[in-house]
């Protein structure tokens, strides 16, 4: 499954309306209309969840700890948050909303594509000889990712500056951009279906996952991968609709939590019988990922406090949470490349006088920790170098370091 590259995020910087759930009239269907809007503002609880998801993705891709996919299913969380924001946006005409979302998504991806593709060609990728003219059509996925962008299975050289899996590491995460685009394009119809048949619509992707994600029916190639990703995270996206419309808050909490627990228990049970070489890696077990992520997100959103500012000790992280949300696409797209870039930098430590001779053993044993320490400065430099493209895409004035100014905020909500 392409979800190995766990990321990411809805285009950051969007505002969310903080709402008081509407009280349905007796006999009316609870999901026929969203609650009345309150004053606009950032929901800092959702911003915090998005930031945690980003950090978890980076840590997972460095250490490879499969249990992290159980501890915090980042992709399910991110798709649920994106679905909630998309439902809010669709209060406006759908065509304009889709155009705006696509506009904000693509330019940051194009910057990565313009960086990676020349390197692929320079080190010897010659796909035209292998695939002919059809390759040029597939290359269009680097412009509009309706499918998976092509790249060589192996590239670089063993022990070289670019190791053989670097293309897969660099381009593979674009599966999320493709999945997000599919959800954006389908959202007007999905939202209408949800408000007419809420529970059937929300659970339908689980059924699709049981069909396409378990091998019962197999669709070959990139189309099959895209279909599985759409099915696995579809319920989380539609759960975002339910969160936006206030559906979860109108249901008995005990019923919601117990239902979520049953889903999560099923996910773990299914995973236990389909463990991979990596163990409990839900990214490689689609049905377990779908069930666990949905139940996990139900609990997170059922208890969502709708903070307008981070409370207590969390407030000290306000600037970093703001930065992560304003540069979520940049962080996600570039983090794998930057993780790989830490290796040659760490290897240079052996060439430093005294360090290599006396600390070489410690460098070996703490290699992953050193990668984790070094990737954050590299991400900071990348944010400064190309992060402003997200602002241009969102039709904002470009900013080098959009971490906000918490001390200057007089109101509880952000004006972004």
């Amino acid at each position: 499954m392409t979800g190995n590259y766990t990321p990411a995020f809805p285009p950051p910087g969007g505002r969310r309306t903080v709402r008081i759930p509407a009280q349905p009239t007796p006999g009316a269907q609870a999901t026929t209309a969203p609650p009345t809007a309150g004053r606009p503002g950032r929901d800092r609880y959702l911003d915090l969840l998005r930031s945690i998801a980003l950090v978890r993705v980076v840590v997972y891709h460095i250490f490879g700890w499969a249990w992290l996919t159980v501890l915090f299913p980042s992709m399910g969380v991110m798709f649920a948050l994106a679905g909630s924001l998309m439902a809010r946006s669709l209060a406006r005409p759908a065509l304009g909303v889709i155009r705006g979302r696509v506009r904000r998504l693509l330019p940051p991806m194009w910057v990565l594509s313009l960086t990676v593709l020349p390197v692929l060609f320079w080190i010897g990728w010659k796909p035209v000889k292998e695939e002919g003219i059809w390759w040029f059509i597939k290359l269009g996925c680097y412009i509009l990712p309706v499918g998976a962008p092509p790249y060589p299975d192996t590239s670089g050289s063993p022990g070289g500056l670019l190791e053989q899996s670097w293309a897969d590491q660099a381009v593979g995460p674009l599966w999320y951009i493709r999945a997000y685009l599919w959800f954006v394009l389908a959202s007007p119809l999905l939202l209408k279906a949800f408000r007419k048949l809420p529970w059937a619509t929300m659970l339908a992707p689980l059924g699709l996952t049981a069909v396409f994600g378990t091998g019962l029916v197999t669709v070959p190639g990139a189309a099959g991968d895209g279909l599985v990703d759409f099915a696995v995270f579809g319920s989380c996206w539609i759960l975002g609709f339910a969160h936006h419309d206030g559906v979860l808050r109108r249901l008995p909490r005990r019923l919601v939590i117990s239902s979520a627990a049953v889903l999560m228990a099923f996910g773990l049970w299914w995973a236990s019988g389909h463990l991979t070489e990596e163990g409990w890696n839900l990214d490689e077990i689609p049905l377990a990922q779908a069930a666990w992520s949905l139940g996990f997100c139900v609990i997170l959103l059922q208890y969502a406090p709708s903070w307008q500012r981070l409370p207590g000790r969390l407030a000290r992280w306000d600037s970093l949470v703001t930065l992560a949300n304003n540069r979520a696409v940049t962080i996600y797209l570039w983090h794998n490349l930057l993780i790989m870039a830490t290796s040659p930098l760490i290897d240079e430590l052996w060439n430093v006088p005294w360090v290599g001779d006396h600390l070489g053993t410690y460098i070996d044993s703490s290699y992953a920790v050193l990668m984790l320490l070094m990737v954050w400065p590299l991400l900071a430099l990348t944010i400064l170098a190309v992060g402003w493209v997200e602002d241009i895409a969102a039709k904002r004035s470009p900013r080098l370091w959009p971490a906000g100014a918490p001390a200057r905020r007089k109101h509880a909500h952000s004006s972004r």
Side-chain angles (χ1 to χ4, degrees):
M1 176 181 174
T2 53
N4 277 344
Y5 297 93
T6 326
F9 322 114
R15 290 182 297 174
R16 178 183 177 272
T17 300
V18 179
R19 294 175 171 80
I20 300 174
Q23 298 300 320
T25 56
Q29 187 176 359
T31 58
T32 54
T36 56
R39 60 182 180 179
R42 299 281 314 190
D43 188 323
R44 299 301 278 170
Y45 175 71
L46 301 188
D47 287 348
L48 179 64
L49 291 181
R50 187 176 295 112
S51 302
I52 293 172
L54 280 167
V55 172
R56 203 283 278 164
V57 167
V58 175
V59 172
Y60 170 67
H61 285 158
I62 290 175
F63 291 94
W65 293 329
W67 54 266
L68 285 174
T69 64
V70 178
L71 179 66
F72 195 89
S74 289
M75 293 318 304
V77 171
M78 295 312 304
F79 280 117
L81 301 182
S84 180
L85 292 173
M86 190 67 185
R88 180 192 66 83
S89 297
L90 285 173
R92 306 191 303 272
L95 185 60
V97 172
I98 292 173
R99 184 168 56 245
R101 293 283 176 176
V102 172
R103 185 192 67 239
R104 295 174 66 180
L105 186 69
L106 295 184
M109 190 197 80
W110 293 340
V111 172
L112 180 71
S113 299
L114 289 172
T115 304
V116 171
L117 278 175
V119 178
L120 286 174
F121 294 135
W122 177 65
I123 62 178
W125 186 35
K126 298 178 180 179
V128 177
K129 291 184 177 180
E130 301 172 3
E131 301 187 43
I133 196 67
W134 173 245
W135 175 80
F136 287 99
I137 298 175
K138 293 169 65 175
L139 190 65
C141 290
Y142 280 99
I143 301 173
L144 184 64
V146 292
Y151 58 89
D153 293 332
T154 58
S155 186
S157 59
L161 183 62
L162 296 175
E163 51 100 0
Q164 288 184 299
S165 69
W166 86 271
D168 182 55
Q169 297 296 323
V171 181
L174 294 182
W175 78 269
Y176 172 74
I177 306 299
R178 176 198 63 208
Y180 186 87
L181 179 63
W182 283 26
F183 282 125
V184 166
L185 296 176
S187 280
L189 291 177
L190 289 176
L191 186 58
K192 288 182 179 179
F194 170 75
R195 288 176 175 166
K196 186 174 182 180
L197 297 169
W199 306 116
T201 304
M202 187 183 299
L203 296 177
L206 281 178
L208 287 176
T209 305
V211 173
F212 295 105
T214 62
L216 185 63
V217 175
T218 301
V219 178
D225 292 337
L227 181 59
V228 170
D229 291 332
F230 187 86
V232 167
F233 298 109
S235 290
C236 290
W237 185 276
I238 296 168
L239 175 66
F241 297 168
H243 173 254
H244 169 268
D245 285 6
V247 173
L248 296 179
R249 295 183 182 180
R250 292 196 289 269
L251 294 172
R253 176 168 290 180
R254 186 172 299 176
L255 174 63
V256 172
I257 300 303
S258 60
S259 299
V262 170
L263 273 174
M264 295 169 73
F266 170 78
L268 292 182
W269 172 79
W270 183 265
S272 68
H274 298 81
L275 297 180
T276 67
E277 293 181 358
E278 298 175 349
W280 292 81
N281 185 356
L282 299 189
D283 288 343
E284 299 293 340
I285 314 171
L287 186 56
Q289 173 80 288
W292 178 264
S293 295
L294 178 58
F296 192 95
C297 291
V298 165
I299 293 174
L300 286 180
L301 296 181
Q302 172 68 18
Y303 285 99
S306 295
W307 294 326
Q308 292 183 319
R309 64 173 67 204
L310 295 177
R313 294 183 179 181
L314 290 174
R316 70 183 66 178
W317 301 98
D318 187 89
S319 293
L320 289 178
V321 169
T322 300
L323 177 67
N325 279 268
N326 281 316
R327 292 294 179 261
V329 176
T330 299
I331 293 170
Y332 171 65
L333 287 176
W334 288 88
H335 79 275
N336 258 11
L337 270 176
L338 298 179
I339 288 172
M340 288 187 291
T342 63
S343 291
L345 295 176
I346 295 172
D347 291 343
E348 284 299 314
L349 291 176
W350 272 277
N351 297 325
V352 177
W354 188 87
V355 173
D357 294 332
H358 295 82
L359 300 179
T361 302
Y362 298 102
I363 294 173
D364 277 333
S365 62
S366 59
Y367 204 93
V369 174
L370 291 173
M371 294 176 76
L372 181 64
L373 293 176
M374 296 186 69
V375 75
W376 304 114
L378 294 179
L379 276 169
L381 291 174
T382 303
I383 287 171
L384 291 172
V386 300
W388 51 269
V389 174
E390 292 194 52
D391 292 326
I392 300 298
K395 295 187 175 180
R396 293 190 300 254
S397 298
R399 299 165 293 172
L400 289 179
W401 194 258
R408 298 180 182 179
R409 285 201 285 260
K410 296 182 180 180
H411 302 290
H413 63 274
S414 167
S415 60
R416 291 190 307 278

